[in-house]
Amino acid sequence: STVKGSIYTRVKINVCKPSVTEINANKQDILLNYNEVYQLEWEVKPILADQNVYFESNDESIASVNEQGLITAHKYGETIIKIISFSNNEVYASINISVKGTLAESLEINEKVVNIDLGEEYQIKFNILPIEAYQGLEYIYDSKDAIEINDNTLIAKKAGTYTMTLKTIDTSNLS
């Protein structure tokens, strides 16, 4: 349009929020006790970008995270929790979560005496309580040439009578 010798035109200007470039968590490694909760803290950059995020746990049986970033530890183990930008899911922060186990209170095994033929395998079945305790055992025995243990399976390599001790593993003192 023209007004007394001047020419005018209109320009539409769209002002957009900047794109999210990074998310920083207050901690990259978190150690929790069984059943402990922890509130995540994070920062989305740049500050004027969309600040909305969501959360994911790689293994919710070990530790879960709710919509507000509250982590709950469920059992012994390690997992990764991510804080992810809603506007760009390729921008996220990863947090390593380690959960300590509770102390074992009892250990029951399926048999106190095992009879096995040379060359045979025997599956060692056990029950560690409470269920929240680490479900692994340490096998203590001197006759490494006579018996072998792989993944809770005993393999008889040499005839004879041997003694083995099964011990629960304390994961409550991890640091």
Side-chain angles (χ1 to χ4, degrees):
S1 67
T2 305
V3 177
K4 293 186 183 176
S6 297
I7 300 173
Y8 294 87
T9 189
R10 292 189 188 258
V11 175
K12 184 177 179 181
I13 300 172
N14 292 320
V15 178
C16 302
K17 287 187 173 189
S19 298
V20 175
T21 57
E22 66 181 297
I23 297 175
N24 295 317
N26 64 325
K27 291 187 176 182
Q28 280 72 47
D29 298 289
I30 299 172
L31 177 63
L32 300 172
N33 293 309
Y34 164 73
N35 234 9
E36 185 176 359
V37 294
Y38 179 85
Q39 179 63 54
L40 285 172
E41 295 177 21
W42 64 92
E43 177 183 33
V44 178
K45 291 185 177 182
I47 193 70
L48 295 177
D50 179 4
Q51 298 291 305
N52 292 311
V53 296
Y54 64 99
F55 307 91
E56 288 181 358
S57 173
N58 283 2
D59 190 339
E60 295 215 351
S61 71
I62 295 172
S64 60
V65 58
N66 71 11
E67 293 174 355
Q68 290 77 37
L70 186 67
I71 299 170
T72 302
H74 299 294
K75 71 176 185 180
Y76 171 81
E78 294 182 346
T79 189
I80 295 173
I81 289 181
K82 291 181 180 177
I83 305 170
I84 306 167
S85 168
F86 256 125
S87 62
N88 181 356
N89 65 3
E90 293 181 12
V91 178
Y92 58 87
S94 294
I95 301 102
N96 300 310
I97 307 296
S98 297
V99 179
K100 296 180 186 183
T102 60
L103 289 174
E105 295 173 8
S106 70
L107 168 61
E108 300 168 359
I109 58 173
N110 56 338
E111 294 182 44
K112 297 268 186 190
V113 176
V114 175
N115 295 308
I116 184 173
D117 291 332
L118 187 62
E120 294 288 315
E121 294 183 359
Y122 174 81
Q123 182 69 38
I124 300 168
K125 296 178 184 162
F126 57 90
N127 191 19
I128 298 173
L129 295 175
I131 194 68
E132 298 83 21
Y134 177 63
Q135 297 294 307
L137 291 176
E138 178 181 349
Y139 297 95
I140 304 164
Y141 56 99
D142 292 328
S143 46
K144 305 273 190 233
D145 62 329
I147 58 176
E148 182 180 321
I149 306 290
N150 285 324
D151 295 323
N152 299 321
T153 301
L154 181 138
I155 303 164
K157 296 171 27 179
K158 185 177 177 183
T161 301
Y162 309 99
T163 302
M164 176 174 57
T165 302
L166 285 65
K167 177 183 166 190
T168 60
I169 300 170
D170 179 8
T171 61
S172 65
N173 60 0
L174 296 175
S175 56

